[in-house]
Amino acid sequence: MSRTPGDTWDIVTSVGFTALAVCAARALDAALEPPLANDTFAASFVAASGEPNLMTALAKTDLSSAVGFNARWVGVRTRFFDDFFTSAIRCGSRQAVILAAGLDCRAYRLVWPDDCIVYEVDQPRVLEFKQQVLDKRGAQPSTRRMAVAADLREDWVRPLVAAGFDPAQPTAWALEGLLPYLPGPAQDVLFEKLHELSAVGSEIAAELGPEPGELREYAEHMRTVRQDGTQSPILDLWYDDPHINIKSWLRERGWDVTSADLVDKAANDYGRPFHGLPPVFERLLRTKFFTATRKR
Ligand SMILES: C[S@@+](CC[C@H](N)C(=O)[O-])C[C@H]1O[C@@H](n2cnc3c(N)ncnc32)[C@H](O)[C@@H]1O
C-alpha cells in the first residue's frame, strides 16, 4: 500500500493515473461492437498526457492489452452512469455532482436541459490537466459546468457550496470508480455529508469498493492480463479495509436502494454481453453497483 493520509497526485501519478487508464479504456471502447461509452474526448486526454503504454495501446487499438481488457467493462460502467443521469434529469434533477470526476466528460457528451448544472469534484492537478486539454480542443460544455478542486477525504462540502451547489434542490450524485480509493472512515464521512446535502428526491449511482480479500484476487487476475506480468498498480492504491454496509445505511435514512447487475445489463439492455469474463470481474460487476433515491 503506497497510500498515505493527505497524499495528492497529478494525472500520471498514483490515483491520478487511474483516471487516465479509465479514459484510455473509454477510448478503446469505440472499437468494440456496439461502442457504449461514446466518449470522443477520451483519446485527446491520453495523447496530451504523453503516457507511453496507454498511447501505444490506443495507437494499436490493442484489445488484448490490459487497457483493452478494461475497455470491455469500463464501457458498460460508463453506460450505466450515463443512463443514470439521463433518468435523473427525466425525473426532475437539475443539479448533478460527479464525485471523483477524473476525465469524465459527461458535461460535454450528454444532452442536458438548459437549467442544469454539473459539478465535477476531484484533485486540483487532475482538474487542471483536464481543463488544459478541453481548452486546447476549444470544447464547450453542453450545460453549465463547475470544476471543484477538493480532496474527498477532507472538507469538500465548503468548496462545493462556494461553487454554487444548492442543498435545497434535488441532486443526482455519481460515485464511479471512487470508493476503492477511500479508506473506510473517509467513506463513512463522505456518505454522511452526501446525505446531509441531499434534498428529498435526490438520487445516487455508486460503485462500491472491494470487500477484504477481493482486492488481492482482482490484482492477481490483472497480473495475468498485463503483458509484462507486472503487478497491477491497483494493489497499492485501493483500500479494502472494513467499512459499513452503505446500502443498509442509506435504507435506514430513508433512501430506496436498488442493486444493479451490470453483467445482466450488458447482455439485456446494452446489447454487448460478456463472454468468458473472469469470475472476480463477474462478481464485481454483478454486486458492486447500485442506485438510490431519497424518499424522506
Ligand atoms: C478510477 S478514476 C475514476 C474517474 C472517473 N470517475 C471515471 O470513471 O472516469 C479515480 C478518480 O478518483 C479521484 N479521487 C480518488 N480519491 C480522491 C480524493 N481523495 N479526492 C479527490 N479525488 C479523488 C482521482 O483523482 C481519479 O480522478
Side-chain angles (χ1 to χ4, degrees):
M1 168 63 67
S2 62
R3 304 292 309 280
T4 51
D7 54 349
T8 61
W9 45 83
D10 59 24
I11 201 64
V12 289
T13 56
S14 182
V15 188
F17 178 76
T18 69
L20 199 58
V22 168
C23 199
R26 276 200 294 270
L28 271 187
D29 168 87
L32 297 172
E33 192 50 50
L36 297 180
N38 188 26
D39 188 342
T40 56
F41 296 90
S44 301
F45 291 117
V46 178
S49 75
E51 208 292 321
N53 293 332
L54 298 181
M55 284 171 65
T56 304
L58 282 202
K60 292 186 185 160
T61 317
D62 184 1
L63 293 171
S64 68
S65 65
V67 184
F69 178 80
N70 281 341
R72 297 178 206 286
W73 66 271
V74 167
V76 169
R77 182 177 85 171
T78 302
R79 174 64 179 274
F80 169 71
F81 283 91
D82 282 359
D83 287 356
F84 163 73
F85 281 117
T86 305
S87 160
I89 291 165
R90 207 180 305 120
C91 295
S93 287
R94 291 293 178 268
Q95 185 168 249
V97 180
I98 306 176
L99 294 176
L103 303 174
D104 173 324
C105 282
R106 292 193 172 90
Y108 297 76
R109 294 191 295 110
L110 301 186
V111 178
W112 304 86
D114 289 343
D115 51 348
C116 273
I117 182 158
V118 175
Y119 297 93
E120 298 178 359
V121 186
D122 209 297
Q123 288 266 332
R125 285 184 285 164
V126 171
L127 292 174
E128 275 164 28
F129 170 80
K130 181 175 187 176
Q131 197 62 55
Q132 280 165 10
V133 177
L134 290 168
D135 288 348
K136 204 164 174 193
R137 273 185 64 140
Q140 293 297 327
S142 49
T143 181
R144 278 183 301 153
R145 165 183 176 257
M146 293 297 292
V148 180
D151 189 318
L152 290 159
R153 296 159 295 182
E154 293 169 9
D155 181 7
W156 51 273
V157 172
R158 203 186 322 199
L160 180 64
V161 171
F165 175 86
D166 180 1
Q169 303 300 322
T171 302
W173 301 90
L175 293 79
E176 178 187 23
L178 164 64
L179 296 178
Y181 301 100
L182 298 181
Q187 280 190 40
D188 299 349
V189 174
L190 180 125
F191 274 99
E192 276 163 22
K193 297 291 173 206
L194 188 157
H195 176 67
E196 278 170 30
L197 293 174
S198 291
V200 169
S202 293
E203 300 187 59
I204 300 171
E207 176 185 14
L208 297 169
E211 297 299 326
E214 281 177 336
L215 168 57
R216 187 153 289 281
E217 201 184 338
Y218 174 94
E220 274 308 312
H221 180 77
M222 283 312 287
R223 185 151 59 147
T224 66
V225 174
R226 291 164 73 81
Q227 284 154 346
D228 57 5
T230 55
Q231 190 55 267
S232 164
I234 293 301
L235 193 60
D236 268 351
L237 300 176
W238 276 9
Y239 289 88
D240 66 347
D241 54 341
H243 43 261
I244 58 167
N245 181 325
I246 291 294
K247 292 197 269 189
S248 305
W249 188 92
L250 287 168
R251 284 191 182 106
E252 285 160 15
R253 284 157 185 77
W255 295 76
D256 268 4
V257 180
T258 307
S259 299
D261 180 329
L262 265 54
V263 174
D264 282 354
K265 275 186 176 294
N268 303 327
D269 300 349
Y270 307 157
R272 206 173 80 193
F274 285 103
H275 299 295
L277 197 60
V280 61
F281 274 87
E282 172 151 357
R283 184 153 21 89
L284 294 175
L285 282 164
R286 284 197 190 278
T287 63
K288 298 298 179 196
F289 294 83
F290 72 87
T291 55
T293 306
R294 184 161 186 180
K295 295 295 185 184
R296 60 176 161 80

